[in-house]
Amino acid sequence: MEIKQPSEAVSIMNILVEAIKKEQESYDYYYNASLKATKPATKKLLLDLAEWEKSHIEELEHHVAELKAQMEIDRAITGGI
Amino acid sequence: MGQITYLEAIREALDEEMSRDPGVFILGEDVGVYGGAFRVTEGFYEKYGEWRVLDTPLSESGFTGAAIGASLVGMRPVVEMQFADFISCAFDQLINVAAKFHYRMGTAVPIVIRAPCGGNIHGGAFHSQCIEGYFFNVPGLKIVAPSTVYDAKGLLKAAIRDNDPVIYCEHKYLYRRIKDTLPEDDYIVPIGMARIVQEGTDVSIITYGAMVHTAIEAANEVQAKGISVEIVDLRTLLPLDKKTIFDSVRKTSKVIILHEQTRTGGVGGEVSALIAEYCFEYLDGPIIRIAAPDTPVPYSPLLEEHFIPQTKDVVNAIDKMIRY
């Protein structure tokens, strides 16, 4: 039986979607920890780290949007074949 | 109301105009059941029915001719060329029929030709062309080229309401890459009016379409060096808004013309000639044109990147110009 390989674009999309999930988990981890922190310096550090993860999410989402835009164009050119 | 993309703005304009005026209808390849190659008319077939969203055979000349005929009896058809590259098949209908009816018979031909144009999408020579130059010297036609979400909607609505044939150059690269929040109220962007994207004092960049965004990137880059760039977005290519062009040139005295279309016989050549004719005394340096080289659009992504004017090309031109 022939195994159909996913296209490069689909593979990258899967990687990006997975990466966003992991970044979201990291964001939640730091944010929830900040809620439990008692010292202001610790709270600030954890919130800074959470913001850092958020910026990663935004960057990855930009890549997803870019990839989707190109995939739509490719589909239009090839008729989805 | 949330943000929408450039493509969604085109869809909204079509939807609103079809709701407003029962004479507006759409025809083209795969625009109906399939919803258009780029999904612009998705859901229209179900909403407006088979008589207002017509799937046509692969015959650009045939369905453009049909649109012209319909316009002569009071309809306002919107023709979708699946890719602008295929518009050449309808050349005779546009040049010898649509553009001349007003002069021959005094009859309006209110048709819009939607032309998904432009490269940077790895589409190769048959799916990436800018076609405005083919029609730029044809009296009787109008050509618009929106660069923003706001203009995409406003110019399409204006084109549909216009009594002349309008070629609407929508850039495929912008379809899903730019977003904006639009007014809820009905609005149009008047045909024939350019827009100052940003004011500046040192050099003017005159451009349109996707290149407006390249110009903005370049302007932001040179701002750090203290160079103030004025950007003029032509928006309408035929007829040109000469006043806005001349006002900008007279203000900065230095001009760069930027377009994605190939250089020879392009819009930039005419803009350059007009400036030389009417603003010569104001110029402090040569007029620089940045355009694609005179070749078909290459398929190779690396060659395509070389073909399409890049931010660095504009920055280099500004650096050169500013020394005058």
Side-chain angles (χ1 to χ4, degrees), chain A residues 27-52:
Chain A
Y27 173 85
D28 293 343
Y29 176 77
Y30 289 126
Y31 184 75
N32 288 331
S34 77
L35 296 177
K36 293 170 190 162
T38 50
K39 290 181 185 171
T42 311
K43 191 183 265 295
K44 183 181 181 307
L45 171 68
L46 291 165
L47 283 174
D48 284 350
L49 289 168
E51 280 304 308
W52 200 15

Side-chain angles (χ1 to χ4, degrees), chain B:
Chain B
M1 201 171 149
Q3 289 195 320
I4 62 168
T5 63
Y6 182 95
L7 183 142
E8 288 164 338
I10 295 169
R11 183 185 294 146
E12 272 195 11
L14 289 170
D15 192 14
E16 288 176 14
E17 290 305 295
M18 287 181 79
S19 296
R20 186 187 61 80
D21 180 351
V24 178
F25 71 101
I26 296 170
L27 67 168
E29 294 154 1
D30 288 330
V31 295
V33 177
Y34 190 63
F38 295 100
R39 302 282 195 245
V40 171
T41 52
E42 197 160 37
F44 278 48
Y45 186 82
E46 292 76 13
K47 182 171 180 181
Y48 294 105
E50 61 186 345
W51 288 105
R52 293 187 71 195
V53 189
L54 297 174
D55 277 323
T56 66
L58 304 185
S59 173
E60 285 77 8
S61 179
F63 61 73
T64 303
I68 294 167
S71 75
L72 293 174
V73 293
M75 305 293 280
R76 291 192 175 267
V78 179
V79 174
E80 178 183 301
M81 293 289 159
Q82 195 167 73
F83 285 80
D85 311 64
F86 310 153
I87 202 170
S88 51
C89 298
F91 205 66
D92 184 54
Q93 287 298 324
L94 290 168
I95 304 301
N96 280 328
V97 185
K100 294 191 172 53
F101 248 99
H102 170 75
Y103 299 99
R104 292 172 68 208
M105 320 276 193
T107 319
V109 181
I111 64 167
V112 177
I113 309 291
R114 286 185 40 233
C117 64
N120 209 10
I121 51 128
H122 318 315
F126 298 124
H127 297 87
S128 306
Q129 293 173 80
C130 293
I131 50 85
E132 60 272 22
Y134 306 148
F135 300 97
F136 187 57
N137 75 339
V138 179
L141 294 180
K142 291 177 178 170
I143 307 173
V144 298
S147 70
T148 64
V149 177
Y150 182 89
D151 288 356
K153 183 171 180 180
L155 275 173
L156 183 50
K157 286 168 84 86
I160 291 170
R161 296 177 196 183
D162 200 282
N163 279 342
D164 290 318
V166 180
I167 297 176
Y168 177 89
C169 299
E170 53 192 66
H171 203 293
K172 301 189 292 290
Y173 184 78
L174 301 178
Y175 270 163
R176 294 176 171 85
R177 286 179 168 92
I178 57 172
K179 285 185 171 183
D180 200 359
T181 305
L182 298 186
E184 288 191 26
D185 294 339
D186 181 48
Y187 73 92
I188 63 159
V189 172
I191 291 176
M193 287 183 68
R195 175 177 72 103
I196 302 295
V197 178
Q198 63 175 58
E199 296 215 18
T201 52
D202 296 328
V203 57
S204 297
I205 300 179
I206 298 168
T207 185
Y208 58 91
M211 286 293 112
V212 169
H213 302 276
T214 305
I216 292 169
E217 283 175 19
N220 289 340
E221 211 168 297
V222 300
Q223 193 180 20
K225 301 178 203 169
I227 301 170
S228 168
V229 178
E230 178 148 304
I231 299 173
V232 179
D233 177 0
L234 291 172
R235 301 203 287 194
T236 297
L237 309 179
L238 192 62
L240 285 167
D241 180 356
K242 293 172 192 160
K243 182 178 184 308
T244 301
I245 295 170
F246 295 164
D247 285 349
S248 184
V249 173
R250 286 167 184 153
K251 179 177 167 188
T252 66
S253 302
K254 292 174 178 144
V255 189
I256 293 167
I257 301 163
L258 168 66
H259 60 61
E260 185 184 320
Q261 191 203 352
T262 48
R263 171 183 294 259
T264 301
V267 173
E270 180 62 23
V271 173
S272 175
L274 283 167
I275 293 169
E277 256 182 302
Y278 294 100
C279 303
F280 182 75
E281 291 85 358
Y282 292 87
L283 292 174
D284 281 346
I287 299 165
I288 294 181
R289 271 186 300 162
I290 305 172
D294 291 329
T295 72
V297 185
Y299 183 68
S300 152
L302 282 175
L303 285 176
E304 189 185 25
E305 190 180 325
H306 182 73
F307 175 86
I308 293 173
Q310 302 291 318
T311 305
K312 65 177 175 0
D313 301 320
V314 183
V315 169
N316 289 342
I318 294 170
D319 285 341
K320 180 181 172 186
M321 183 57 94
I322 217 72
R323 289 198 287 269
Y324 281 92

